[in-house]
Amino acid sequence: MPLGLTTEERALQARAAEFAATVVRPQAAETDRSEQYPWDVVKALAAAGFTGMTVPRAYGGQGASFLDAVLVIEEMAKACTVTARIVVEANMGAISTVMAYGSERQKRMAADLVLAGDKPAICITEPDAGSDATAMTTRADRVGDRFVLNGRKHWITGAGVSKLHLIFARAFDEKGRNLGIGGFLAVRGEAPGLKMVRREQTMGLRGMPEGELAFEDLEVADDMVVMPPSGWARGFGDLINAYNSQRVGAGTVAMGVAAGAFEHAVAFAKEREQFGRPIGEFQGLQWMLADMQTQLTASRLMLYAAARSRGPNGSAFPDPALAAQAKIFASEAAVRIANDALQLHGARGYSRELPLERMVRDCRMFTIGGGTAQVLRTLVASKILGWKLPQTRDGYVRNNPPGAAGSGRDAAE
Ligand SMILES: CC(C)(COP(=O)(O)OP(=O)(O)OC[C@H]1O[C@@H](n2cnc3c(N)ncnc32)[C@H](O)[C@@H]1OP(=O)(O)O)[C@@H](O)C(=O)NCCC(=O)NCCSC(=O)CCS(=O)O
Ligand SMILES: Cc1cc2nc3c(=O)[nH]c(=O)nc-3n(C[C@H](O)[C@H](O)[C@H](O)COP(=O)(O)OP(=O)(O)OC[C@H]3O[C@@H](n4cnc5c(N)ncnc54)[C@H](O)[C@@H]3O)c2cc1C
C-alpha cells in the first residue's frame, strides 16, 4: 500500500525489506534465545548505512528524514524487534538531540559513533522517577570546569553495550543553586564513573540489554554538556521535545512487529486447513484479519504524519501531540494485533518454533517505555484543553489557582 510515499521513499523501504529478509530475519530467533546483543547485525546495519541515516551530510550521514527512518524501522521490526530498536536509537532519541543542540565537537563525536554502529543510550528514568521524570534526583554539581554526576538510572536500553550516553540530570552551580535539568554526554570506556550495576530480566526484546546504571563521581567536562537552547531553566522541556523523535520511532517498532505478525497470520490463514477448508475461509478469521489490517493502516498513517510534522516555533522535532497520539495508538494496537495473529495460529502460535510468541512478548513494552500510554494521554489532553495538567497532588492547584490571571485555565479562555 503506497500511503503517499514518494518513489525514493518506496525504494528505501524496499532496500530495508531486502536487508531485513536476508540479514536480520535469519538471526532473530537466536538473538532472543541467546539474549545476546546482535553485534554481527549491527556491523551489517552500519555498512548498509542504516545507522546514522538522519545525521546531516556535513557530519558524514545522509541527512535522511525521520520518515525515512520510520520506513526502515518498520521493515526491521517485521523481522527482529531488537534490530529495529537499534535503528531507532541510531537515528532518533539521543543522536537527534545532539545533532540539534550539540556543539560542533559533540556533533562530530556522536556522528562518528553512530555511523560506526553505536546505538546511543538515553538515560532519563530512575527508580523513583519514572513517569514523574522531572522528579529525578541524579545531580550534576559544578566543580571548576566540569560537572560531577552522582545518581542512578534504571531500565536503560543498551546498558553495557551502548557507547554514547545522554544523561538527564539536575544541575547545580558551585553555590549549590538548582539550575534546572540538562543533558550530559559520557562515552562508555572513557568515563570511569559510569557503571553498569545490573541487567533487568525482561519479558521480551531479550537480545537488547536493559540495565541499571550508577554514576559515581562521573566527571563530565564542559564540552560534553548539551546546552538546552532555551537555557538551563527550561532544559528538561528542550530535551523532552527532542525525545518526541524517539516516541515516533518506538511507536513504529510496535507497528512493525504487529505488521510482521500480521504477514504470518495471512499466510497461515491461506495454508492451514480445518473442516476440509483453508481456515481463511471462515468469516470469524476474515474479520479478525480485516480488523488487524485496519489498525495497522491507521497506525502507519499516524506515525507517518507524526514523523513528517514539526513541533511549534520551528522545532526540529515531531509535534509532541502527534507523536504521543501515534505512539499511544500504535503501541496499543500492536498488542492486540500480535495477540490475534498468535490466536489465529492455534497451538502453533504458542510454540517457540514460530516467531509469534516472541512477537507478543516483544511488542508488549511499547505502551510502557518512552512514556506510558496513560501519561501520553495526559499530554494529549493538555494540548486539547490548552491547560497545564501537573500531576502532583498540590501541583494543579498551585499552577492553576482558579481564576488567577496567567493560569493554565485563563490561558485557554
Ligand atoms: C513531562 C512529564 C515528565 C511530566 O512532568 P512535569 O509535570 O514535571 O512537567 P511538564 O510541566 O508537563 O513539562 C515540563 C516542560 O516540558 C514540556 N514538555 C513536556 N513534554 C513535552 C513533549 N513531549 N514535547 C515537548 N515539550 C514537552 C512542557 O511543555 C513543559 O514546558 P514549559 O516549562 O511549560 O515551557 C511526563 O509527562 C512525561 O513525559 N513522562 C514520561 C517520561 C518519559 O517519556 N520517559 C522516557 C524515558 S526513555 C525510554 O523510555 C526509552 C524507551 S524507548 O522505547 O525508546
Ligand atoms: C523495555 C523498556 C525499555 C526502556 N528504556 C528506557 C531507556 O532507554 N531510558 C530510560 O530513561 N527509560 C527507559 N525505560 C523506562 C520507561 O521510560 C519507564 O518505564 C516509563 O516512563 C514509566 O515509568 P515507570 O516504569 O517507573 O512506571 P510508573 O511511572 O511507576 O507508572 C506505573 C503505572 O502508573 C501509571 N501512571 C503513573 N503516573 C500516572 C499519571 N499521572 N496518570 C495516569 N497514570 C499514571 C503508569 O501509566 C503505569 O501504568 C524503559 C522501559 C522499558 C519497559
Side-chain angles (χ1 to χ4, degrees):
M1 229 180 289
L3 299 183
L5 299 179
T6 63
T7 310
E8 292 73 27
E9 286 162 346
R10 291 217 298 276
L12 173 65
Q13 198 175 36
R15 192 164 75 81
E18 167 70 16
F19 180 93
T22 53
V23 179
V24 178
R25 194 180 300 278
Q27 56 67 46
E30 179 56 17
T31 296
D32 180 62
R33 197 202 56 73
S34 67
E35 305 194 9
Q36 297 297 311
Y37 193 67
W39 288 110
D40 50 341
V41 175
V42 169
K43 208 168 154 193
L45 282 171
F50 292 129
T51 62
M53 285 168 60
T54 58
V55 167
R57 289 182 190 281
Y59 301 99
Q62 300 162 44
S65 67
F66 288 132
L67 179 60
D68 290 333
V70 159
L71 300 175
V72 174
I73 292 161
E74 175 182 349
E75 296 310 320
M76 302 301 166
K78 285 178 185 170
C80 169
T81 325
V82 170
T83 303
R85 289 195 74 214
I86 293 169
V87 177
V88 173
E89 296 211 72
N91 287 290
M92 294 157 151
I95 183 66
S96 65
T97 310
V98 175
M99 287 301 148
Y101 304 153
S103 65
E104 275 303 300
R105 182 178 172 276
Q106 291 169 358
K107 289 182 195 177
R108 294 208 178 279
M109 174 204 59
D112 289 350
L113 285 169
V114 294
L115 289 165
D118 186 40
K119 176 219 81 62
I122 189 153
C123 311
I124 305 174
T125 308
E126 299 180 0
D128 293 324
S131 298
D132 188 8
T134 57
M136 66 182 64
T137 56
T138 293
R139 52 185 296 143
D141 288 282
R142 180 99 192 142
V143 180
D145 63 350
R146 57 199 56 226
F147 282 92
V148 178
L149 271 66
N150 282 284
R152 275 183 187 233
K153 301 279 177 186
H154 74 167
W155 284 95
I156 303 307
T157 302
V161 298
S162 296
K163 284 191 180 145
L164 185 64
H165 290 64
L166 173 63
I167 304 162
F168 286 40
R170 193 168 283 286
F172 295 87
D173 70 11
E174 270 162 336
K175 293 190 170 142
R177 284 178 299 221
N178 181 355
L179 299 170
I181 291 172
F184 299 84
L185 297 174
V187 177
R188 188 173 59 87
E190 298 169 17
L194 171 63
K195 298 184 176 148
M196 176 159 170
V197 177
R198 69 188 188 98
R199 184 168 172 174
E200 313 286 354
Q201 299 300 300
T202 60
M203 171 182 181
L205 272 150
R206 295 193 182 166
M208 175 63 83
E210 300 291 341
E212 181 167 338
L213 299 178
F215 314 120
E216 294 172 0
D217 289 332
L218 168 62
E219 295 191 8
V220 176
D222 271 353
D223 62 0
M224 293 287 267
V225 177
V226 179
M227 268 318 289
S230 316
W232 284 108
R234 258 211 95 248
F236 180 80
D238 283 342
L239 291 168
I240 202 82
N241 185 42
Y243 187 72
N244 289 314
S245 63
Q246 186 142 326
R247 285 187 176 153
V248 176
T252 305
V253 181
M255 180 270 283
V257 176
F262 175 70
E263 286 177 2
H264 284 284
V266 173
F268 193 75
K270 289 180 174 171
E271 159 205 320
R272 169 75 174 159
E273 293 193 359
Q274 283 294 275
F275 301 96
R277 312 160 67 183
I279 59 170
E281 287 188 9
F282 302 124
Q283 195 177 53
L285 299 190
Q286 291 168 358
W287 287 10
M288 202 189 264
L289 290 172
D291 283 345
M292 288 157 86
Q293 188 168 60
T294 304
Q295 293 175 81
L296 277 172
T297 304
S299 299
R300 254 186 216 107
L301 287 171
M302 290 178 80
L303 290 159
Y304 288 6
R308 286 182 173 121
S309 71
R310 288 279 170 266
N313 307 322
S315 168
F317 297 102
D319 178 78
L322 287 179
Q325 289 171 65
K327 181 168 176 290
I328 295 167
F329 189 89
S331 63
E332 293 185 343
V335 172
R336 292 190 295 270
I337 295 165
N339 197 44
D340 281 351
L342 185 153
Q343 179 71 17
L344 194 142
H345 282 77
R348 289 168 179 77
Y350 191 71
S351 161
R352 277 182 276 156
E353 284 179 18
L354 291 187
L356 280 309
E357 62 83 30
R358 185 182 83 232
M359 290 169 147
V360 167
R361 284 188 283 111
D362 280 359
C363 74
R364 188 60 190 86
M365 69 151 279
F366 296 98
T367 64
I368 303 170
T372 70
Q374 291 71 42
V375 159
L376 296 184
R377 280 184 169 84
T378 299
L379 183 153
V380 175
S382 168
K383 299 288 178 196
I384 294 168
L385 296 166
W387 296 346
K388 271 188 157 300
L389 298 175
Q391 301 292 298
T392 50
R393 190 163 282 167
D394 69 337
Y396 188 83
V397 177
R398 191 163 24 86
N399 283 277
N400 304 285
S407 72
R409 283 175 185 277
D410 288 333
E413 284 159 4

